Amino acid sequence: KLSSKATRWCVIKDVFLYVFKSRKDATPLHCIPLHYYAALTLKMLKGPKALVLRRAYRRRFAAPSDAANIDFYLVQPDKEATVVEWLDALRRRCVLQSKVFGAPLAEVLERQQHRPPIPKAVETLVNWLEVNGVDACARLAVDAPDDAGLAYAGELKEQFDRGAKVDLSRCRQPRAVGYLLRSYFLELPEPLC
């Protein structure tokens, strides 16, 4: 069983989280392949937030160790600042967690476990268009944004794919937002119906 309440030394290298019994050990107790996991934070009743590595897919993997088939790992650093640093480092390496555009809809929904069952990117873009760009919704299939709008849409897409929180409160480009929403559906690997 790969669970412990003991203090462990962890090192992130490439796309793996190595767990050592102590800082002095040369051989890790566990090697966790981060590309199978999504990185999240969890507010604890006591102490700083904890990090949760949740398996991104329910299916089992043919992996070199059982570490890829553990449903989740809970890591609680001793300082709040450490949580932020580790979350950032883990999210850069948890490849499956980040991909939204071009990923199968069922897999995105399974990873995000968002309610209602709509990808967060789609919900964010549609909500913004409802409030700020109703006429842009009618032009989704016709108008493309200018070069600045295309660049902005690319930045937003990268933020969604990184799993970053996307703030559209200062956005003044309804065509770019509409274009990005249309792009999401065009990039789905399988049709919706």
Side-chain angles (χ1 to χ4, degrees):
K1 187 173 180 181
L2 299 175
S3 66
S4 173
K5 292 182 182 180
T7 301
R8 299 288 184 225
W9 179 254
C10 297
V11 175
I12 299 173
K13 185 174 180 186
D14 299 322
V15 293
F16 295 96
L17 175 66
Y18 296 94
V19 180
F20 295 88
K21 188 170 185 177
S22 73
R23 188 177 228 177
K24 297 175 184 175
D25 289 350
T27 306
L29 295 171
H30 309 292
C31 175
I32 303 167
L34 296 174
H35 50 279
Y36 291 115
Y37 289 88
L40 312 162
T41 57
L42 179 67
K43 186 169 173 85
M44 303 299 283
L45 294 174
K46 294 180 182 178
K49 290 181 180 176
L51 297 168
V52 177
L53 290 175
R54 184 177 53 81
R55 196 159 40 111
Y57 298 111
R58 288 197 175 108
R59 68 175 184 252
R60 307 298 268 185
F61 294 95
S65 74
D66 283 338
N69 290 311
I70 302 296
D71 288 332
F72 69 91
Y73 292 93
L74 178 68
V75 180
Q76 189 173 19
D78 53 356
K79 298 176 190 166
E80 189 75 32
T82 308
V83 172
V84 174
E85 291 171 18
W86 272 76
L87 182 64
D88 184 51
L90 289 169
R91 281 194 169 156
R92 285 195 310 266
R93 290 163 174 87
C94 292
V95 178
L96 297 176
Q97 185 269 343
S98 302
K99 188 75 170 159
V100 174
F101 284 79
L105 180 62
E107 292 176 0
V108 171
L109 293 175
E110 186 176 328
R111 282 192 314 244
Q112 293 182 349
Q113 295 187 349
H114 183 261
R115 298 288 177 235
I118 299 168
K120 186 68 176 156
V122 171
E123 182 182 37
T124 301
L125 296 170
V126 168
N127 287 345
W128 188 91
L129 285 169
E130 284 179 342
V131 172
N132 300 288
V134 176
D135 61 335
C137 290
R139 297 191 307 249
L140 282 178
V142 181
D143 294 345
D146 58 13
D147 288 343
L150 285 173
Y152 182 65
E155 290 172 23
L156 291 175
K157 179 179 178 181
E158 181 189 344
Q159 289 176 19
F160 281 120
D161 274 345
R162 271 192 331 220
K165 183 174 178 167
V166 177
D167 180 17
L168 295 175
S169 63
R170 295 188 175 151
C171 175
R172 301 291 174 253
Q173 301 205 30
R175 286 185 182 178
V177 175
Y179 174 81
L180 189 57
L181 179 62
R182 181 180 66 191
S183 296
Y184 175 82
F185 291 110
L186 290 174
E187 291 182 23
L188 284 173
E190 63 254 353
L192 288 175
C193 49

